[in-house]
């Protein structure tokens, strides 16, 4: 029989760590960005904000992410997030390294 986890009297769920597109989505909501928008408008509104792209806290600024996509106009928030998703995914994969990839491949 498993032991129950210690109770701290706090019934609130722990906060989730947001990264990648989820973190960017939250920043868009905070900045009250309206669409359609150009890359320049988004850079002005969000540009220097660092967006974590993995659970380890590594991050990328919105300006840097926008520099990596060819699209300069975004009709809506979904189009913007879809365009930047591959940028965050690529950054996450580049940082992982050989050891992390091997660890993920092992069954234990």
């Amino acid at each position: 029989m498993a032991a129950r986890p210690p109770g701290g009297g706090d019934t609130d769920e722990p906060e989730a760590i947001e990264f990648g597109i989820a973190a960017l989505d939250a920043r868009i909501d905070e900045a009250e960005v309206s669409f359609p928008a150009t890359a320049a408008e988004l850079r002005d509104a969000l540009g220097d904000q660092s967006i974590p792209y993995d659970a380890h806290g590594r991050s990328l600024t919105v300006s840097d992410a926008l520099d990596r996509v060819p699209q300069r106009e975004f009709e809506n928030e979904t189009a913007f997030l879809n365009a930047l998703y591959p940028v965050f995914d690529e950054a996450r994969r580049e940082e992982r390294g050989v050891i992390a990839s091997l660890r993920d491949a092992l069954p234990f």
Side-chain angles (χ1 to χ4, degrees), residues 17-96:
I17 298 172
E18 288 184 334
F19 55 88
I21 295 303
L24 179 58
D25 187 32
R27 303 284 167 68
I28 291 169
D29 293 342
E30 291 169 3
E32 298 180 7
V33 174
S34 62
F35 288 90
T38 65
E41 292 169 338
L42 292 164
R43 190 181 314 272
D44 289 343
L46 303 163
D48 291 333
Q49 292 190 49
S50 290
I51 308 296
Y53 57 79
D54 66 10
H56 300 289
R58 290 181 282 245
S59 63
L60 183 66
T61 65
V62 176
S63 290
D64 290 339
L66 281 167
D67 288 343
R68 297 180 187 192
V69 295
Q71 193 172 345
R72 297 290 113 203
E73 294 184 15
F74 306 93
E75 288 299 315
N76 54 45
E77 185 175 342
T78 302
F80 176 61
L81 295 174
N82 286 343
L84 267 62
Y85 177 81
V87 173
F88 287 103
D89 190 47
E90 181 179 328
R92 190 170 29 256
R93 282 186 279 128
E94 286 175 354
E95 293 290 327
R96 293 191 38 80

Side-chain angles (χ1 to χ4, degrees), residues 1-15:
M1 181 184 265
R4 295 185 73 149
D10 186 4
T11 59
D12 293 336
E13 294 290 323
E15 291 186 30

